[in-house]
Amino acid sequence: MENVKGKVVAITGASSGIGEAIARHLASLGAKVVLGARRTAKLEVIANSILENGGEAVYTSLDVTQPDNVKAFVEYAIDKYDTLDVFVNNAGLMPLSMINNYKIAEWHQMIDVNVKGVLHGIAAALPVFESKDSGQFVNITSVGDRWVGPTSTVYSATKFAVRAISDGLRQEVSRNIRVALVAPGATESELPNTISDPELKKMAIESFRKDTIPGLAIAKAVAFAIAQPTDVDVNELVVRPTAQKAY
Ligand code: NDP
């Protein structure tokens, strides 16, 4: 695909679900992908499979809650492929719960990964983009970046925050740096496993996650944003299952 081939793309949370699908799809279009997550055994399998299919991929351990670790992730990408063109802030978790269950550790975890993790990604990659006056962020939010309902209060708050951060960043950076936000609806992944309440997890899978789309649908939206000419900044793409009507 035009403007994707040859680009160096770092992806956080590439060990499963949407991040894995983004890595596989962009590699199939000729991008050089740099995979980061905590489960390196999974990253190894995905990277090897990309290599076997003729693509280019490297991987390294990444915890987005640690700013120095995210900086090292960007340095690793540059060490391997000499530059960085796109940084995909994808790592996230969704332990839904009612506020009055007081799952305070889970609130902290969501804020640490979903919000601070994105800020750490920006802090690591923006200096590189500024030094070459080009580059692109793709931030994976959720339909929950514009919708909130019972049990999604804190999760939606983290995604509302990333939407605000994305739009502020877009306005602050130079005219040659792009910022895209891709907001998925229910998508096949391991995300429901982060819901600690078994009843709520069952309900999520049987009701609002009944209809899901494959990660490839989100990966194609990411590729679309990257593929535009450098003077075209796709700022927001919302991609839902057609049957997902209420949120
Ligand atoms: P998965 O659970 O399949 O993937 C989440 C990824 O995040 C994993 O690769 C995980 O890797 C990584 N991750 C979690 N914590 C950390 C951390 N501290 N440091 C680095 N990586 C971390 O779910 P999805 O693919 O669905 O989630 C990807 C993104 O998509 C999230 O931001 C999610 O909010 C968003 N999203 C998903 C939707 C869906 O229906 N699937 C809908 C809307 C948005 P590891 O555990 O190996 O570190």
Side-chain angles (χ1 to χ4, degrees):
M1 187 184 255
E2 207 182 345
N3 295 326
V4 176
K5 192 168 167 40
K7 278 195 174 157
V8 178
V9 183
I11 304 153
T12 72
S15 59
S16 63
I18 292 172
E20 174 182 350
I22 294 169
R24 288 183 184 276
H25 184 57
L26 295 182
S28 78
L29 298 174
K32 299 170 186 172
V33 293
V34 184
L35 281 56
R38 294 163 305 171
R39 293 172 294 171
T40 48
K42 288 203 148 217
L43 294 179
E44 184 179 14
V45 171
I46 297 162
N48 283 342
S49 148
I50 289 171
L51 296 174
E52 279 161 20
N53 286 302
E56 291 208 49
V58 291
Y59 71 93
T60 188
S61 168
L62 170 68
D63 182 346
V64 298
T65 66
Q66 305 301 318
D68 289 346
N69 197 191
V70 189
K71 201 160 170 278
F73 178 54
V74 167
E75 284 163 4
Y76 174 79
I78 293 169
D79 183 49
K80 290 292 175 188
Y81 290 133
D82 292 329
T83 191
L84 179 70
D85 299 303
V86 183
F87 193 92
V88 181
N89 274 305
N90 166 73
L93 69 160
M94 186 190 69
L96 303 175
S97 67
M98 298 291 278
I99 290 282
N100 64 4
N101 282 334
Y102 307 112
K103 297 200 175 227
I104 293 174
E106 292 183 355
W107 302 346
H108 287 184
Q109 209 187 355
M110 276 190 279
I111 290 165
D112 286 348
V113 176
N114 299 5
V115 183
K116 291 184 190 171
V118 170
L119 290 170
H120 298 158
I122 293 166
L126 185 55
V128 178
F129 294 165
E130 287 189 320
S131 70
K132 59 178 199 161
D133 198 23
S134 73
Q136 183 173 25
F137 288 99
V138 179
N139 297 333
I140 308 299
T141 57
S142 162
V143 289
D145 73 3
R146 62 202 66 210
W147 174 90
V148 61
T151 76
S152 94
T153 306
V154 178
Y155 177 71
S156 289
T158 66
K159 297 299 187 176
F160 269 67
V162 175
R163 191 169 171 216
I165 291 164
S166 302
D167 202 41
L169 178 68
R170 178 185 68 75
Q171 296 169 62
E172 287 187 19
V173 293
S174 101
R175 50 185 288 125
N176 297 316
I177 296 173
R178 303 189 291 173
V179 183
L181 174 161
V182 176
T187 307
E188 287 162 21
S189 79
E190 297 179 7
L191 201 64
N193 295 342
T194 63
I195 305 171
S196 60
D197 178 334
E199 280 302 305
L200 194 54
K201 182 176 168 184
K202 187 166 176 286
M203 200 260 282
I205 291 167
E206 288 172 1
S207 59
F208 59 85
R209 293 186 63 80
K210 185 165 59 69
D211 300 293
T212 53
I213 49 176
L216 179 60
I218 309 305
K220 284 182 176 171
V222 172
F224 175 79
I226 297 173
Q228 300 312 304
T230 50
D231 62 341
V232 176
D233 196 3
V234 174
N235 299 134
E236 293 196 9
L237 288 168
V238 183
V239 183
R240 289 180 172 89
T242 311
Q244 184 178 330
K245 302 296 185 192
Y247 45 85

